[in-house]
Amino acid sequence: GIMSNHRLFRAGDDMRQYSFTLDFQVCDYECDMQGIVNNAVYQNYLEHARHEFLKTLGLSFADFTRRRINLVVVRAELDYRHPLRSGDRFRTGLCIERVSRLRFSFLQDIFILPDGRPILFAKFIAVALDRKGRPWLPEELETALGSFARAGGEKERSISR
């Protein structure tokens, strides 16, 4: 499972080991009839965290799109542990890992605040596509993500929504 991969980036459940963290609060409209966050909403949280992480590196998802460079997820794995409910505050943690010449893996977790109970473990494989839809790695993306991935999560960045 993907959980074993995440343990490499955490000392126990110490969220300070992440390369980037982002705090959220669950909104009423994100919950389903059972009163819990709908499973699809978690992907929105995690996507937003990835985009905010790119911004801290000086990279704009919107700018890449305008230049017809598409950053896409080609694989998503999500392991749900506990549900979130309306009003819950939680933190996403993100680490990045190079998986091949053109692909990066985003290891992302969600923990409830303030106690840090694990909510979700996820792994996303992403690639950039050029104007013709072929995998390609723009130099600025390789420089930013490549150096960050090699840093092994030593750099920490954090913002709140």
Side-chain angles (χ1 to χ4, degrees), residues 63-72 127-138 140:
D63 180 54
F64 278 114
T65 303
R66 277 191 293 278
R67 293 168 40 207
R68 295 179 48 198
I69 299 168
N70 295 303
L71 306 178
V72 298
V127 67
L129 301 177
D130 67 13
R131 294 169 185 246
K132 296 181 181 179
R134 291 187 300 240
W136 172 63
L137 192 56
E140 68 266 37

Side-chain angles (χ1 to χ4, degrees), residues 9-161:
F9 291 92
R10 267 201 320 270
D13 286 335
D14 184 355
M15 290 183 282
R16 289 175 299 186
Q17 296 299 313
Y18 292 110
S19 303
F20 176 80
T21 61
L22 181 62
D23 293 351
F24 291 83
Q25 185 166 1
V26 175
C27 299
D28 292 340
Y29 65 84
E30 296 168 327
C31 297
D32 59 22
M33 291 178 60
Q34 299 170 356
I36 60 176
V37 171
N38 181 276
N39 68 84
V41 173
Y42 291 94
Q43 290 211 40
N44 293 330
Y45 297 148
L46 298 170
E47 178 183 46
H48 183 66
R50 289 191 304 275
H51 290 191
E52 291 298 316
F53 171 65
L54 290 176
K55 285 181 189 175
T56 70
L57 300 179
L59 303 173
S60 165
F61 189 87
D63 180 54
F64 278 114
T65 303
R66 277 191 293 278
R67 293 168 40 207
R68 295 179 48 198
I69 299 168
N70 295 303
L71 306 178
V72 298
V73 168
V74 294
R75 182 174 177 85
E77 298 176 44
L78 290 85
D79 291 338
Y80 300 92
R81 302 296 301 274
H82 297 283
L84 287 171
R85 300 181 187 286
S86 183
D88 282 348
R89 290 179 31 255
F90 63 94
R91 175 166 293 150
T92 63
L94 177 151
C95 291
I96 189 165
E97 168 180 276
R98 186 98 179 237
V99 279
S100 74
R101 190 171 65 81
L102 298 174
R103 293 180 180 212
F104 286 88
S105 173
F106 290 90
L107 304 175
Q108 293 181 263
D109 301 331
I110 294 178
F111 294 88
I112 196 156
L113 294 173
D115 68 358
R117 183 178 64 201
I119 299 298
L120 175 145
F121 300 110
K123 180 178 183 177
F124 294 89
I125 305 293
V127 67
L129 301 177
D130 67 13
R131 294 169 185 246
K132 296 181 181 179
R134 291 187 300 240
W136 172 63
L137 192 56
E139 186 176 337
E140 68 266 37
L141 192 61
E142 181 167 22
T143 300
L145 296 182
S147 64
F148 214 91
R150 284 191 298 274
E154 292 170 14
K155 300 176 186 175
E156 181 181 347
R157 298 165 188 259
S158 180
I159 57 178
S160 295
R161 176 176 88 165

